Amino acid sequence: YINLIFIFSILKFKVMKNKIRPILSMGTVLLSFMLTTLFPSCNDELPADSYYTFTGEMMSDFLKNHEDFSQFRRIVERAGRMDLLASRGARTLFPPVNSGVEDFLKERGYTSVEDIPASFCDTLVKACLVERTLYTYNLAETHQESNQLDLPVIIVTNGDTVDANGMTLSVINRRTAIINELKNDSVENGVVHPVDKVIVPNTSLGASLLDENHQDFTIFYEALKRTALLDSLSRYRDDDYEIWKNNYKEFTQSMHIGNEDYVGKRPDHRYSGFTLFIVPDKALYEKYPDRFNESMTMDQKIDALYDLAAEKYADNTSASIFGLDKTDPATGKTYKELYWNKNFLKNRHNPLNMFLSYHILDRLFTSTAKLINCWQINTAYADPTEWVGTMLDFSAVKLEKVYRTIDPAVEYERDFYINHSEACTYNNYERIRGAHLTTPENADNFSLNVAYYYVDDVLAYDPIMRNKVMNTRLRIDFMTLWPELTNNNIRLCGNPTQAYNSGDNSEDGTEAGGYNYYLPPGYLKNVSISDNTTFFISRPIVYWSNMGGDVLGILGTSYDVTFRLPNVPPGTYELRLGYCALVDRGIGQVYVDGIPQGIPMDMRYSAGDSRVGGLYNGGKGWRNKEENSSGIYTTEELEENARVMKNNGYYSGPKSVFYGNDGNDAPRYSANTCTIYYNQDNLMRRKICNVEVKPNTHHTIRLRSVLTSSESGNFTLDYMELVPIDICGAGGLGEDLY
C-alpha cells in the first residue's frame, strides 16, 4: 500500500482529448486514491478518454515514445533542441505527424530530413513552440500567441473547417490543423497539440512578402514601387532598445491598479510593423470600369490610379490639412503646385503617394482578432469600432465590425468594414458603405513586420470621410493611440474571459495566456514621461469595468505625461475622458496644448457625489424603471438629471458598453450577468474642454499629478471622446445615450 502511494505521488495527471485538467493538491490526490481504493465504483466501465493517465513524459519523451513523430523528432535533434524539450517549463508544442513532414519535404525538394539545413531545422522547431501552456478549450474563437521566433501563432476555431468526423478543427495560421483526436495531450513540461502539417514561418520583411504574393494586386503593387512606399516597409526591430532596455528590470514589483495588484513585465522588444489595405485588380475593374480594364498597359493603369487619387484630395480643405497650400521657401510655389504631377510620385505631397499612404496603417495586425477590440460592446446599440492613424499624417481610418441588422444594405453582417457609417442624423441619413475587408485566401498575408488585407473599394480621407463618417461622437480607446502596443502584442494580450487570478501577480504570466506590462520612458512614440512616472497596462479582463477590459494606469507620486491627441478633421470638439472612479485613484491637472483646463480632475468620487449630481440606483442598479423593473427613475427624471450632470461637467457612462460576459465568445451581453456602464455610479465621463483642431497641426494633452509627494494615486486612461460641437453644443443635433 505504501509503495502504491509512493508511485502515485511521483506520477503526473495527464488529460486526454478535450477534458479540462483539474488542479489538485497532493493531499487531494492521496485522498482520491484512498477513496477509490476503499470504496470501488459501481461502474468500472468508463470510456477510455475519461481516464487520467499518469505519465512522467517530457515533450522530448513524447516524440521518442510515439513513432508517428519520428520525422519531426529528427528535425528537433538536428536543431540541437531536444534538451530544451526535455527541460522544465510550461510550453505548448505543435509537432507535425510524419505524413505532414513528408509533404513538407516534397514541397521543398528535400529527399529526407537530413537535407534540411540545421539552421532551418532550428527555425521549424521554434515556429511550433510557444512559451506558455495553451489548451484549446481555453481559447477564444480566434486566438493569437507568439512563438519562439516572436512571430504570431494565430489559432482560429470558427466552425467553418471540420475533420472527417464533422468535428470543428482549430487551424493555425490558416494552413495547419490541430488533429482533434490527439490535441490537449499533457506532458510534464506543458501540452502537445499534434498537427497535420509543418508550421513554416514567413520570416521575410514587407517588401518580400508583397513581391511573393502580388499576383492579385499588380496595380497596387506597382504603385507602391513607383511611390517608393514599398521601400518604407522595412522597419522591424529597434536594436537600440535591445541595449537600453537593460536599464530597467524585467519585472516590476507588485503594482496596485484598481482593486487588485499586478506584476508588470518589461516589453521584450520594440518592434515596428505595418498593415496594408489593398484593392485587388479585380475590384478596381468592377468598381471603376470607366477608369480601369485588363487590356490597359501598366503605365495607363498607374495614370488612372493617379487621376483617381487627385480627385479624392482636390478640395481646399484637404490642401490645408496636408500642408499642400504651404509655400516652398526655395521656389515660392506651394507644395501642390510643385508636386501634383506624375513626375514626383515619391514625394509625400503627391496625390498618388498620399492616396497609397492612407491605405497603410503604422501597426501590424496579423489577424482580425487584433483589428478591433470587440469585448464589452452591446451590439444592440453600437458596433465595435476603432479609430486608428495611418501613414498619411493627420488622417485616421474607422475600423468597424458590423453586427447590427437595422441597416439592410449591409451585405456582410458580423464582418469587418473600413470607413463605414450607418444611415443616421449625423450624415443626413445617408449610409456610407465604406469598404469590406477580407483576408486573402491561399496566400501568406503576414510576415515579420507587414500584414495585408483586401478591401473591395478604395479608401480616402476625403470630404465624405471627414464630414460624414467622422461627424459623430468619436470614442477612442487609449490602447489604440500608440502603435507599439499592437506591434509588441501588449494590446489584447491573453484571453479576456479568464478572470483575475494569482498569475496576474506572478512573473510566470497569467493562466489567461497573457502578461501585464510596464513601459519604460521612451518606449512609446510621441510620448513624454517624467522619470518618476510608470506607464502600466493591465491585461484585458471582461469582468473589470474598463472599456474593452484593459486600461492604462499612470502611476507615481508626481507623474507628468504628455502625448498627442488622435487625428480628427479640423473643427471644434468637446474633449472628454471616460474612467472608473475609485477611492485610491489620483487627482491630475489636464492641459491641452500646454494650457491648463479647468480645475484638476479628481478620480476618487463617484457620480452620486454632489459635485456631479447624478441619480443612481446603487452602485450597479438599473436607473430607468421603464427599462427594468428594478429601476427607480423615470425617463423624464433621467433626462433632466443628464442636464444637471452636463452643467457640472460630467456625463454618465454609455449604454453600449458593459462589463461581465455571458459565454466565451465576444461580444455577448446578458442583463443577468453583465453591468451596463450607464447604470453604474462610478463609471462616467468628464468634460475637459472644447478643443479647436487646426489643419496640419498636432495637438497635445498633458496630465500632471497635483497630489502631495507623500500621496500615491493612479490616473487611468481608459477611453476619450472627441465630439463635434455641432452635435453636443448649444443648438446641436444632440446625442443618444450610447
Side-chain angles (χ1 to χ4, degrees):
Y1 180 76
I2 294 175
N3 287 339
L4 285 174
I5 293 179
F6 174 74
I7 294 171
F8 193 82
S9 68
I10 64 172
L11 294 175
K12 179 182 180 288
F13 275 147
K14 178 180 178 183
V15 65
M16 301 299 292
K17 295 188 179 176
N18 215 8
K19 307 297 181 182
I20 298 178
R21 180 176 57 178
I23 302 173
L24 301 175
S25 66
M26 185 57 67
T28 305
V29 171
L30 292 175
L31 178 62
S32 299
F33 173 77
M34 289 186 290
L35 288 175
T36 54
T37 302
L38 297 174
F39 304 99
S41 170
C42 296
N43 180 10
D44 292 332
E45 299 300 322
L46 292 174
D49 62 359
S50 295
Y51 286 108
Y52 292 102
T53 304
F54 304 102
T55 80
E57 277 190 329
M58 296 297 220
M59 289 178 176
S60 56
D61 298 317
F62 178 92
L63 297 179
K64 294 174 184 176
N65 296 338
H66 296 79
E67 185 58 31
D68 202 25
F69 299 95
S70 60
Q71 295 270 48
F72 183 70
R73 180 177 73 240
R74 184 56 187 150
I75 291 176
V76 176
E77 290 170 347
R78 297 201 64 244
R81 293 290 175 179
M82 196 59 82
D83 287 345
L84 173 64
L85 299 188
S87 64
R88 294 284 175 181
R91 307 181 182 93
T92 301
L93 180 66
F94 301 96
V97 293
N98 285 344
S99 60
V101 177
E102 292 290 348
D103 290 341
F104 167 78
L105 295 175
K106 292 177 183 177
E107 291 171 3
R108 296 293 174 124
Y110 298 123
T111 57
S112 72
V113 170
E114 305 305 318
D115 292 341
I116 306 175
S119 60
F120 194 27
C121 288
D122 187 62
T123 297
L124 295 176
V125 174
K126 290 179 178 179
C128 65
L129 195 59
V130 172
E131 283 295 330
R132 61 179 59 126
T133 302
L134 302 171
Y135 287 89
T136 58
Y137 44 74
N138 284 335
L139 304 182
E141 187 177 271
T142 301
H143 185 88
Q144 181 171 321
E145 289 286 338
S146 294
N147 58 25
Q148 284 200 336
L149 297 170
D150 268 334
L151 281 168
V153 175
I154 303 166
I155 307 171
V156 177
T157 309
N158 59 12
D160 293 337
T161 308
V162 297
D163 61 15
N165 299 317
M167 295 179 61
T168 300
L169 285 167
S170 297
V171 179
I172 301 172
N173 293 354
R174 298 174 38 244
R175 296 291 186 90
T176 304
I178 298 175
I179 300 171
N180 279 326
E181 292 81 4
L182 304 176
K183 66 185 179 182
N184 296 322
D185 210 342
S186 295
V187 291
E188 190 69 28
N189 54 348
V191 62
V192 176
H193 299 293
V195 295
D196 65 345
K197 296 179 181 178
V198 175
I199 298 175
V200 182
N202 190 325
T203 57
S204 62
L205 292 176
S208 298
L209 173 72
L210 299 177
D211 181 62
E212 295 164 3
N213 297 283
H214 72 272
Q215 59 272 13
D216 292 332
F217 53 92
T218 61
I219 302 173
F220 247 63
Y221 180 72
E222 182 65 23
L224 288 169
K225 287 172 58 179
R226 296 192 186 191
T227 55
L229 288 171
L230 193 65
D231 299 331
S232 69
L233 306 178
S234 59
R235 292 199 314 272
Y236 173 51
R237 190 172 79 173
D238 181 359
D239 290 331
D240 290 339
Y241 178 71
E242 300 301 309
I243 299 172
W244 64 263
K245 72 180 181 182
N246 296 316
N247 295 329
Y248 304 90
K249 56 186 178 181
E250 189 172 357
F251 283 87
T252 63
Q253 68 275 20
S254 180
M255 312 294 279
H256 191 69
I257 307 291
N259 292 320
E260 305 291 350
D261 289 329
Y262 297 88
V263 163
K265 174 180 172 62
R266 179 198 70 202
D268 292 327
H269 306 287
R270 189 170 183 266
Y271 290 126
S272 295
F274 309 89
T275 299
L276 284 75
F277 299 132
I278 292 177
V279 186
D281 297 344
K282 182 180 178 181
L284 290 174
Y285 299 147
E286 291 177 352
K287 291 283 184 178
Y288 304 95
D290 57 328
R291 297 178 183 269
F292 301 93
N293 63 72
E294 293 184 68
S295 63
M296 296 167 64
T297 66
M298 183 56 71
D299 285 343
Q300 290 173 326
K301 293 174 182 178
I302 297 300
D303 286 348
L305 195 61
Y306 176 95
D307 293 340
L308 178 59
E311 286 184 18
K312 293 291 185 180
Y313 294 105
D315 62 295
N316 292 331
T317 303
S318 292
S320 62
I321 291 174
F322 302 115
L324 302 176
D325 55 355
K326 290 186 176 181
T327 301
D328 174 53
T331 64
K333 295 182 177 180
T334 66
Y335 290 116
K336 187 170 185 178
E337 290 173 328
L338 283 173
Y339 301 116
W340 268 51
N341 62 74
K342 296 170 185 178
N343 297 320
F344 289 95
L345 298 183
K346 295 180 181 181
N347 188 280
R348 67 184 183 89
H349 295 102
N350 183 272
L352 184 59
N353 197 295
M354 293 169 58
F355 178 84
L356 292 172
S357 296
Y358 187 67
H359 287 76
I360 306 175
L361 305 185
D362 57 357
R363 62 204 70 196
L364 178 65
F365 290 116
T366 50
S367 74
T368 54
K370 296 298 182 80
L371 198 65
I372 301 170
N373 187 344
C374 295
W375 297 103
Q376 298 185 326
I377 302 298
N378 189 343
T379 55
Y381 299 125
D383 291 327
T385 298
E386 309 281 21
W387 303 89
V388 178
T390 78
M391 294 294 288
L392 177 61
D393 204 5
F394 305 107
S395 72
V397 294
K398 180 185 183 184
L399 311 179
E400 183 177 8
K401 190 170 186 180
V402 177
Y403 275 80
R404 292 173 292 172
T405 58
I406 57 173
D407 189 341
V410 176
E411 300 93 330
Y412 306 98
E413 183 187 354
R414 298 200 177 197
D415 220 339
F416 296 97
Y417 277 80
I418 313 296
N419 295 352
H420 167 268
S421 178
E422 64 172 336
C424 62
T425 185
Y426 306 137
N427 57 21
N428 286 325
Y429 297 99
E430 174 190 356
R431 174 182 177 249
I432 311 300
R433 181 186 181 274
H436 179 231
L437 178 144
T438 56
T439 302
E441 297 181 0
N442 304 317
D444 291 329
N445 78 306
F446 69 88
S447 63
L448 286 174
N449 70 329
V450 165
Y452 69 94
Y453 297 88
Y454 290 157
V455 287
D456 64 359
D457 200 355
V458 300
L459 308 173
Y461 198 65
D462 58 5
I464 293 176
M465 174 60 181
R466 301 192 306 263
N467 301 334
K468 294 187 176 182
V469 177
M470 299 189 75
N471 187 43
T472 186
R473 181 204 307 112
L474 304 170
R475 184 173 294 148
I476 301 166
D477 191 331
F478 273 95
M479 293 296 118
T480 65
L481 252 62
W482 300 288
E484 293 85 358
L485 302 185
T486 298
N487 292 333
N488 296 278
N489 202 30
I490 297 172
R491 172 180 171 267
L492 287 174
C493 179
N495 185 349
T497 65
Q498 300 298 305
Y500 175 88
N501 55 67
S502 59
D504 286 293
N505 211 8
S506 167
E507 295 185 8
D508 296 326
T510 72
E511 295 174 19
Y515 285 99
N516 312 296
Y517 285 88
Y518 80 94
L519 307 181
Y523 190 81
L524 298 178
K525 185 179 179 181
N526 299 320
V527 178
S528 172
I529 304 175
S530 60
D531 290 339
N532 58 347
T533 301
T534 300
F535 249 40
F536 194 97
I537 296 178
S538 60
R539 72 167 179 89
I541 302 173
V542 295
Y543 306 101
W544 280 180
S545 50
N546 309 310
M547 191 177 80
D550 49 17
V551 70
L552 191 156
I554 303 177
L555 310 179
T557 54
S558 55
Y559 53 78
D560 197 341
V561 175
T562 301
F563 55 89
R564 286 181 179 179
L565 273 173
N567 297 322
V568 294
T572 302
Y573 296 80
E574 184 171 289
L575 169 64
R576 309 166 185 167
L577 293 180
Y579 65 102
C580 175
L582 292 173
V583 293
D584 59 354
R585 292 276 195 243
I587 307 176
Q589 179 64 57
V590 183
Y591 301 73
V592 174
D593 292 334
I595 301 173
Q597 302 297 325
I599 62 174
M601 185 171 174
D602 192 336
M603 290 187 166
R604 300 177 299 179
Y605 55 80
S606 297
D609 187 277
S610 60
R611 287 167 284 190
V612 182
L615 297 178
Y616 286 82
N617 183 18
K620 299 181 182 180
W622 280 80
R623 303 171 72 195
N624 194 326
K625 67 181 181 181
E626 296 168 12
E627 294 184 33
N628 188 284
S629 59
S630 63
I632 61 174
Y633 301 110
T634 65
T635 298
E636 289 76 13
E637 288 173 324
L638 291 175
E639 288 176 349
E640 174 59 30
N641 184 241
R643 287 188 281 271
V644 172
M645 291 179 65
K646 184 172 182 177
N647 289 336
N648 290 329
Y650 293 89
Y651 297 85
S652 63
K655 283 190 175 182
S656 62
V657 185
F658 65 91
Y659 68 92
N661 198 47
D662 181 19
N664 291 325
D665 58 337
R668 182 178 293 174
Y669 169 75
S670 167
N672 296 324
T673 58
C674 304
T675 301
I676 291 177
Y677 277 28
Y678 176 78
N679 292 324
Q680 185 155 326
D681 64 353
N682 69 335
L683 296 172
M684 52 188 168
R685 295 168 286 171
R686 163 77 184 270
K687 176 182 175 179
I688 304 302
C689 62
N690 288 346
V691 179
E692 182 186 355
V693 175
K694 298 178 181 178
N696 204 241
T697 303
H698 290 295
H699 299 272
T700 62
I701 298 180
R702 179 187 176 197
L703 306 171
R704 181 181 64 83
S705 175
V706 296
L707 291 173
T708 65
S709 60
S710 61
E711 295 178 290
S712 179
N714 65 83
F715 197 101
T716 61
L717 297 178
D718 190 1
Y719 64 95
M720 72 166 67
E721 292 181 350
L722 286 163
V723 190
I725 288 300
D726 66 355
I727 291 176
C728 64
L733 296 172
E735 290 184 74
D736 54 39
L737 298 173
Y738 305 116

